[in-house]
Amino acid sequence: YQSLLVGEPELQVWTRIPQQLTVNYPSAAFFNIPFPVTVTNDQGPVEGVLVCYSDSAGNYARGYTDASGEILLDPEVSTPESGMITITHHNYLPQQLNIEILPPQGPYILAEKFIVIDSLTNQNGIAEAGELLYLQLSVKNIGVELAQNVIATISSPDTLLELLVSQHSFRIIDPSSQKIEGAFEALISMLTPHLHRLPIDITITAVGGYQWQRRLFLSVREGARISLSPLQLNFPATFLNFTSSLALIITNGGPDTL
């Protein structure tokens, strides 16, 4: 009665019609190995979402998603458990999802991040609208066995990104070993808005029927847009060593600073 009359200080009141979040997570994870959870909505990654793991044995882990809508949870479970992931965020419907924590076996390849190589343009290491990029992928074997014939394939549902080279072989990856390789080739549309996040879906396979999937995001900047004022220099009747000056107006119409 008191909470209804006075209000519960911990209660987050909806200020608009609650929306649905999309959660990408593994259906199973291994003992003492962190697992990723990615949260998005119709506009892309959602930052600041509270993600919690809990189970009947009292194991618990929590944290907030970063700018890529992702968090790595490590509940440090050492026995088989049927756990639950709870997702909450202001003005979004809460979700509860099941996950199995299993004994470690085999390899487990985690796609960590992309490294941008824009050697064909301004070489600043930043993905920008209109650029043709080479992408390297950082991967790590967080499993307990060797991964053989590891192949990564990338795709994207975003029409602003065209993937020209979409597959790379990492060959062999030892347990606890990291590799940064690949010559994925991507063309970003000139129409890409400033700070737009391009979703890239990664599927990694290895000998033994192993397959892992993860979605990473590539943040794109619009960059600077330099234009010069129209110039005209008139030469009246001149003589030897005649000099003149001309004002050159340079305008940056883009959102980034040179």
Side-chain angles (χ1 to χ4, degrees), residues 136-151:
Q136 289 187 323
L137 180 62
S138 173
V139 298
K140 185 174 183 180
N141 184 357
I142 60 176
V144 296
E145 294 182 12
L146 179 76
Q148 301 183 66
N149 193 25
V150 179
I151 297 175

Side-chain angles (χ1 to χ4, degrees), residues 197-216:
R197 290 183 176 272
L198 294 168
I200 302 179
D201 294 321
I202 306 163
T203 299
I204 301 177
T205 58
V207 168
Y210 294 105
Q211 179 174 294
W212 306 274
Q213 293 180 323
R214 193 176 188 188
R215 171 172 285 188
L216 297 178

Side-chain angles (χ1 to χ4, degrees), residues 181-246:
E181 292 182 6
F184 301 105
E185 195 170 332
L187 178 62
I188 303 175
S189 170
M190 282 290 295
L191 302 178
T192 305
H194 187 54
L195 300 181
H196 179 66
R197 290 183 176 272
L198 294 168
I200 302 179
D201 294 321
I202 306 163
T203 299
I204 301 177
T205 58
V207 168
Y210 294 105
Q211 179 174 294
W212 306 274
Q213 293 180 323
R214 193 176 188 188
R215 171 172 285 188
L216 297 178
F217 291 86
L218 189 64
S219 182
V220 178
R221 304 188 70 88
E222 189 177 338
R225 295 287 181 266
I226 301 301
S227 60
L228 303 177
S229 60
L231 303 175
Q232 184 175 2
L233 183 60
N234 297 320
F235 290 94
T238 60
F239 47 87
L240 190 62
N241 295 328
F242 171 80
T243 61
S244 181
S245 61
L246 181 67

Side-chain angles (χ1 to χ4, degrees), residues 124-184:
N124 62 359
I126 298 173
E128 295 176 329
E131 281 192 325
L132 176 63
L133 302 176
Y134 296 109
L135 298 174
Q136 289 187 323
L137 180 62
S138 173
V139 298
K140 185 174 183 180
N141 184 357
I142 60 176
V144 296
E145 294 182 12
L146 179 76
Q148 301 183 66
N149 193 25
V150 179
I151 297 175
T153 305
I154 63 175
S155 62
S156 177
D158 200 316
T159 57
L160 296 173
L161 179 66
E162 181 181 0
L163 296 172
L164 306 177
V165 177
S166 60
Q167 192 173 86
H168 176 75
S169 174
F170 287 90
R171 298 173 296 280
I172 295 174
I173 305 179
D174 295 316
S176 302
S177 178
Q178 181 189 46
K179 280 191 174 183
I180 301 176
E181 292 182 6
F184 301 105

Side-chain angles (χ1 to χ4, degrees), residues 43-147:
Q43 286 73 48
V46 183
E47 185 177 4
V49 177
L50 179 59
V51 182
C52 301
Y53 169 89
S54 61
D55 58 41
S56 59
N59 298 300
Y60 181 76
R62 69 190 290 271
Y64 293 91
T65 56
D66 58 18
S68 297
E70 185 176 87
I71 181 174
L72 277 176
L73 283 181
D74 187 5
E76 300 182 349
V77 179
S78 56
T79 58
E81 298 292 345
S82 294
M84 179 175 290
I85 300 173
T86 303
I87 310 292
T88 56
H89 193 49
H90 186 230
N91 283 337
Y92 286 89
L93 296 171
Q95 296 186 47
Q96 289 187 315
L97 309 163
N98 297 320
I99 183 171
E100 299 295 323
I101 308 297
L102 306 173
Q105 58 182 6
Y108 193 106
I109 306 301
L110 177 66
E112 297 180 306
K113 63 180 179 179
F114 283 108
I115 290 87
V116 173
I117 301 174
D118 54 349
S119 56
L120 299 178
T121 52
N122 55 12
Q123 303 180 34
N124 62 359
I126 298 173
E128 295 176 329
E131 281 192 325
L132 176 63
L133 302 176
Y134 296 109
L135 298 174
Q136 289 187 323
L137 180 62
S138 173
V139 298
K140 185 174 183 180
N141 184 357
I142 60 176
V144 296
E145 294 182 12
L146 179 76

